Amino acid sequence: MPNYDDQQPLEDAIQELFPKFDALEIRKLLDSAPALSAQRPAERVLLACLLLSEGDLDRLKHYLQQATLDYRDVLYWAFEYNDEPPVHMQRYLKRR
């Protein structure tokens, strides 16, 4: 998994990654993720799930489920683990 930028606003990520979907519907899906609302880094966890999904709704649901099991996993996969991202996702990488 690539090392994505964790400073991107959540609403921007929704617009960029899911341009063909209703942003409010994506936000409702994010907000409905069980147990995440109680977590302190909820916004960052949701961003991690969005970025890892690469704009695929099924993958987003998968990563939201993984985050409910242990949110630290998706944070690690998105923001710490260094691997080569797909070309179309390279613009979301942290700038070094």
Side-chain angles (χ1 to χ4, degrees), residues 12-55:
D12 290 352
I14 292 170
Q15 289 292 329
E16 290 180 34
L17 290 165
F18 291 93
K20 295 181 181 179
F21 290 84
D22 180 5
L24 290 176
E25 291 301 314
I26 298 296
R27 186 60 202 220
K28 284 180 190 176
L29 176 63
L30 295 176
D31 291 341
S32 71
L36 288 184
S37 59
Q39 303 294 339
R40 281 213 173 262
E43 197 84 358
R44 192 167 180 245
V45 172
L46 295 176
L47 177 60
C49 292
L50 278 169
L51 294 172
L52 290 167
S53 78
E54 299 176 4

Side-chain angles (χ1 to χ4, degrees), residues 8 12 49 57 80:
Q8 182 176 21
D12 290 352
C49 292
L57 193 57
E80 302 300 327

Side-chain angles (χ1 to χ4, degrees), residues 33-34 49 59-70 74:
C49 292
R59 288 183 72 178
L60 176 59
K61 291 175 184 177
H62 166 77
Y63 284 112
L64 288 170
Q65 178 63 33
Q66 293 302 306
T68 63
L69 299 174
D70 191 337
V74 295

